[in-house]
Amino acid sequence: MPMKDIQHIPATSQDERDLKPALRRGWKGRCPNCGSGPIFDGYLKVRHDCPVCNQALYHQRADDGPAWATMLIAGHLMAPMMIILFESFRLNPLAMIAVIVIPFVLLCLWLLPRIKGAFIAFQWAKRMHGFGGTSEY
């Protein structure tokens, strides 16, 4: 079929949602729609809906994605530090555990809610899992 026979239907503003602002809002733990209301009702528990704009948030399906991404990022940041510390200072194993594990755990605890918020915002921006799409799945 030639390209000239395909009709181009312009997307309306309702069809497109800006991804970058949504990801920034999600990273900050804010509603991807309004940017004012909090996404979480605790450390990682997602609210049913935004208290400011009433955007439904229960559709989200972040599941294990944020945990996987958190471990991936933290591991890639901490692995070079572990090698540098070992090669430079030759610390004993218990000291290495204390020096590496504590910052790794703190980094993971800091990253996890931010990455989960970004995952939810990505789903909202792309209208996935009930955030404005035609089907639930």
Side-chain angles (χ1 to χ4, degrees), residues 1-132:
M1 177 193 268
M3 289 300 289
K4 65 180 180 180
D5 292 338
I6 298 174
Q7 291 182 346
H8 176 69
I9 301 170
T12 64
S13 61
Q14 189 177 15
D15 291 336
E16 294 181 16
R17 293 176 176 166
D18 288 332
L19 182 61
K20 286 184 182 181
L23 289 175
R24 246 188 321 271
R25 292 171 183 159
W27 178 266
K28 293 177 182 178
R30 298 289 172 206
C31 172
N33 186 31
C34 68
S36 298
I39 292 178
F40 300 114
D41 192 23
Y43 180 64
L44 288 176
K45 185 176 186 289
V46 179
R47 291 179 178 270
H48 188 269
D49 53 17
C50 174
V52 176
C53 68
N54 293 322
Q55 169 68 51
L57 299 170
Y58 66 90
H59 299 108
Q60 65 84 23
R61 296 277 183 245
D63 300 330
D64 292 336
W68 172 82
T70 298
M71 296 295 288
L72 182 74
I73 293 167
H76 278 83
L77 291 175
M78 295 303 290
M81 286 183 59
M82 185 168 49
I83 293 168
I84 291 168
L85 280 173
F86 181 75
E87 290 297 324
S88 299
F89 301 107
R90 296 287 178 180
L91 298 173
N92 68 13
L94 289 177
M96 281 293 286
I97 288 172
V99 170
I100 294 299
V101 171
I102 293 169
F104 181 77
V105 169
L106 292 175
L107 181 61
C108 287
L109 290 173
W110 182 79
L111 280 174
L112 187 57
R114 286 157 180 79
I115 292 175
K116 184 170 183 175
F119 265 67
I120 294 167
F122 181 82
Q123 292 174 16
W124 175 83
K126 296 298 181 181
R127 298 183 182 270
M128 299 167 65
H129 306 296
F131 281 116

